[in-house]
Amino acid sequence: EKYRSFVGQTMFFTTKLGPKLGNATRALSGFMANPGKLHWDALGRLIGYIKGMDVKGILYVEPETYKVCGLADTDFGNCQETRRSVGCTLVTIGGCLVDWHMAKHVTLSDSTTEAEYKELAKLAKDIKFVQMLMTELNLVELPGLLFEDNAGAIFLAGNRQVSKRTKHIDLKHHYIREFTEERNGYQQGVIHKIESEFNTSDIGTKNVDVGAFKRHAEELDKGMPMLRERVYGKNGILT
C-alpha cells in the first residue's frame, strides 16, 4: 500500500509538472501488485531526484504561432516481460508544451519502423485533439507539424504501397496517412525529419545516458527552446 501511494504521488507530479520523469514513473507503476527491493530502491532514487530538483514546473513561453507541433519516439521491444515497445509523444502549441504521453504499446511490433509508425499515428491523434480545441477558440493554424526521427516510419506514412512486411499493420495506425494527406487545398499535418539527438521525446521511452537526460530535461524545463528554434529560427520551417 505504501508503494502504491508513493508511486501514485509521483504519477500525479509527472502528469502535471514533470514530463521528464515519465519513463521512470511508468516503469515503477508496472509493479504495483508485488514490488521488490529493486523497485523500492528505484522509487527512493526517483523521490530523491524530485526533492532535489531546482525547478519543479514547466516554463510557458508565449508562442509566435498557434500551429500545433509534436514529437514522437519509440523504444523498440523495451519491455523485457512482454517485449512490447514503449512510446512517447510531446504536443506543443507553437513550441509551448501542453500535453505529453508515455506508455507501453498494447500490441507487439515486428520492427522498429512499425513501432515508430504506431507512435506517429498516436501523435497525429493527439495533435488533432488540440487542433479541435484551438478551432473552438478560433486560433487554429494549419498544418500541424509532426517531428519524427525514423525514416522508415515517415516513408510508410506517405506511401500506400502494401508489402508482406507492412500488410499486417492495423487499420487504426494508418490514420496518420489521412491526417497528412492534402484535401481541398489544405493539410491537417506535415511530417518533418528530426535528428535523434534533438528528439526530446526520447527521454520518455527508455533510460538514456546522463548527457542525453540532462539535455532533454533542460529542453523541457526551459520551454522547448530547441524546438522553437527549429520552427521559428533563421532557417526554421516557418521562415
Side-chain angles (χ1 to χ4, degrees):
E1 290 182 3
K2 286 186 177 181
Y3 182 86
R4 288 197 294 268
S5 175
F6 284 134
V7 173
Q9 292 177 63
T10 60
M11 288 177 66
F12 183 84
F13 177 81
T14 299
T15 55
K16 299 295 184 296
L17 298 172
K20 61 184 177 182
L21 308 177
N23 181 62
T25 304
R26 176 203 57 77
L28 291 171
S29 65
F31 300 92
M32 293 285 208
N34 186 29
K37 183 180 184 302
L38 178 66
H39 309 113
W40 273 107
D41 291 343
L43 178 59
R45 291 184 63 186
L46 176 59
I47 293 175
Y49 178 83
I50 294 174
K51 291 179 67 176
M53 285 170 58
D54 294 329
V55 179
K56 293 183 174 66
I58 299 171
L59 177 65
Y60 283 93
V61 180
E62 182 178 358
E64 298 179 35
T65 175
Y66 291 113
K67 280 183 179 290
V68 184
C69 314
L71 302 110
D73 195 31
T74 310
D75 188 34
F76 177 56
N78 181 296
C79 180
Q80 297 299 314
E81 286 77 25
T82 64
R83 303 307 298 173
R84 292 178 183 173
S85 302
V86 173
C88 172
T89 59
L90 302 175
V91 180
T92 75
I93 296 176
C96 180
L97 187 66
V98 294
D99 187 32
W100 54 91
H101 185 262
M102 300 90 175
K104 183 165 58 177
H105 289 181
V106 297
T107 56
L108 288 170
S109 298
D110 288 343
S111 64
T112 302
T113 293
E114 182 182 346
E116 297 275 4
Y117 186 69
K118 289 178 179 178
E119 200 64 23
L120 194 56
K122 169 68 170 58
L123 176 62
K125 295 173 184 177
D126 291 344
I127 288 179
K128 178 61 176 179
F129 175 80
V130 179
Q131 286 179 335
M132 291 170 63
L133 174 63
M134 300 297 287
T135 300
E136 293 291 325
L137 301 172
N138 294 318
L139 293 174
V140 70
E141 294 182 21
L142 297 177
L145 307 176
L146 297 84
F147 292 94
E148 169 62 47
D149 59 13
N150 185 276
I154 296 174
F155 175 80
L156 190 59
N159 191 331
R160 293 182 178 272
Q161 181 179 354
V162 176
S163 71
K164 63 181 181 180
R165 299 188 65 180
T166 61
K167 65 182 181 180
H168 65 282
I169 296 178
D170 198 0
L171 179 65
K172 68 178 182 178
H173 303 308
H174 291 312
Y175 172 76
I176 183 63
R177 294 177 175 175
E178 180 177 307
F179 186 76
T180 55
E181 191 176 68
E182 184 173 341
R183 294 187 176 187
N184 300 321
Y186 76 95
Q187 287 177 283
Q188 296 181 83
V190 177
I191 304 174
H192 292 277
K193 182 77 165 60
I194 187 172
E195 298 82 359
S196 296
E197 61 181 307
F198 298 120
N199 190 350
T200 308
S201 57
D202 186 46
I203 198 175
T205 64
K206 58 182 173 294
N207 296 326
V208 297
D209 60 64
V210 175
F213 182 86
K214 287 183 177 179
R215 183 174 66 253
H216 294 320
E218 184 178 17
E219 172 77 354
L220 291 169
D221 290 341
K222 293 188 176 181
M224 309 290 283
M226 287 192 295
L227 179 62
R228 293 201 309 276
E229 177 65 24
R230 182 172 290 267
V231 176
Y232 309 126
K234 184 176 180 181
N235 298 313
I237 295 168
L238 302 183
T239 56

